[in-house]
Amino acid sequence: MEEELRKAGVKCSDAALVSQLQTAATTHGMTAKEIVPKLRAHQMNDALPGQPVTAGSLSRFLASLQRQSDKENQARGAATPGVKWDAGRDWTGFTNNLKAEQQGPPATPLTGRKAAAAAGGATPLGAGSKASPATPQSAPRTAFKARTNRGQVVSTLNSSIAKAAAAEPRFLHAEPCGVQLPARHLYMMERLEDKVAAINSRITAWKKWLGSALAANQAAGDTTQALEVAAVGVPVQEESYFVGRVVCEVEGGALNDTAVVLEGDSHISEGGRAQLDLSQLQTYRLFPGQVIAVKGVNPSGSRILAKHIWTHIPPPSPHKAATAAG
């Protein structure tokens, strides 16, 4: 004990106190190596680290050790009902027998009539026995497939409402609409060159449709409309047409009247961009990705002064009626 106290740094020069500590260790079934760290922790909790062990501090430690032992014994007693634990008694044989009983095969629980017979000492009802009047007997069970009321209507609700006549079946044939992508295209997988080709095809188709509409109007006598497409991003002093798609000045930004940019195709404009000046237009409705045609001038090459915007194919001009000389 003295050697363990010296290793742990606990000062105890009184032989009587060392003897009390040794007796407590024997009582609680502990060794000197186990009880000395508990004493050292108790002194640190009492704010007496490094101080020699006194009779008062040892008395408090032994009382605390006894309380801890009592709690453990109470916990063991609660875990095994009906058994009162004694710290001074050897329970090795008892615990071994208890474990052997717990590891044995569980008994099969009795249910139903067997449980009632076992509890009351009565014999279960056999083939020739009669049921007691106090015991309710259920109807004999039959298979579901052997039921006799199959398809029987038990009750009808809202019988006054006339039944709707069944419509004749019609078979619909679904066909894909629009331009179908080639088989090499995969779902959710887009290549950059495919996206550029799709954008150019939209701009080219819109340019062709607008040119045809303006040519038809010019043939009808409207000489004010003629399609002369200029490249976007190139300075143009004369009034010309610029065809492209609407994009925002900032990628992913909100589109407003000062951030509208026209992006040309890759054939004529080589993907050039120019900001649209919409100050001379009274009304307009634009959205990102929209293909439009703008009539105006681009003096600097970076800013198009828009005088008219086509967002849809213009209607044909009315033909002039021929009048005969009277």
Side-chain angles (χ1 to χ4, degrees), residues 7-289:
K7 290 181 180 180
V10 179
K11 299 177 182 180
C12 184
S13 57
D14 192 346
L17 299 180
V18 175
S19 177
Q20 292 182 15
L21 187 60
Q22 183 66 44
T23 304
T26 305
T27 303
H28 295 284
M30 304 172 63
T31 62
K33 192 174 183 179
E34 294 176 347
I35 197 171
V36 169
K38 294 181 178 293
L39 176 61
R40 185 172 181 272
H42 184 269
Q43 281 193 314
M44 295 183 65
N45 293 336
D46 284 353
L48 298 174
Q51 298 293 330
V53 179
T54 61
S57 62
L58 183 59
S59 177
R60 291 191 298 271
F61 169 68
L62 296 179
S64 174
L65 192 63
Q66 183 63 37
R67 288 194 299 270
Q68 184 178 359
S69 178
D70 294 341
K71 289 182 180 179
E72 293 178 357
N73 293 337
Q74 291 177 2
R76 292 173 185 173
T80 307
V83 178
K84 183 177 181 181
W85 290 89
D86 188 0
R89 182 177 177 182
D90 186 11
W91 294 94
T92 306
F94 174 78
T95 54
N96 292 337
N97 296 335
L98 182 60
K99 292 181 179 178
E101 293 177 1
Q102 292 177 351
Q103 292 177 359
T108 304
L110 300 177
T111 58
R113 297 178 179 177
K114 294 183 179 180
T123 304
L125 293 175
S129 60
K130 296 183 179 180
S132 173
T135 305
Q137 298 297 321
S138 59
R141 298 182 180 180
T142 58
F144 179 73
K145 293 183 178 180
R147 67 190 186 277
T148 58
N149 59 345
R150 180 184 301 177
Q152 179 182 355
V153 179
V154 179
S155 61
T156 304
L157 302 178
N158 300 326
S159 58
S160 59
I161 301 177
K163 296 183 179 180
E168 297 181 359
R170 294 186 302 172
F171 299 95
L172 302 178
H173 178 67
E175 295 183 356
C177 300
V179 180
Q180 301 300 311
L181 297 178
R184 62 185 179 87
H185 290 272
L186 301 179
Y187 177 71
M188 294 295 293
M189 185 175 181
E190 297 178 345
R191 299 186 305 173
L192 182 59
E193 52 268 23
D194 295 336
K195 296 175 67 175
V196 174
I199 294 174
N200 286 332
S201 62
R202 289 180 54 206
I203 297 177
T204 303
W206 171 251
K207 189 190 308 180
K208 181 179 178 181
W209 296 334
L210 182 62
S212 300
L214 295 180
N217 293 342
Q218 188 176 8
D222 188 358
T223 59
T224 60
Q225 295 184 356
L227 184 60
E228 295 181 0
V229 178
V232 179
V234 178
V236 177
Q237 304 298 332
E238 297 82 8
E239 193 173 82
S240 306
Y241 290 86
F242 304 91
V243 181
R245 71 184 186 110
V246 177
V247 296
C248 185
E249 185 178 9
V250 180
E251 188 70 21
L255 192 66
N256 52 57
D257 56 348
T258 60
V260 181
V261 176
L262 185 68
E263 182 183 67
D265 59 357
S266 60
H267 300 293
I268 298 178
S269 305
E270 298 181 355
R273 291 187 175 188
Q275 188 175 4
L276 285 181
D277 186 355
L278 307 175
S279 58
Q280 297 188 8
L281 299 178
Q282 295 182 356
T283 58
Y284 52 86
R285 180 178 297 176
L286 304 174
F287 57 87

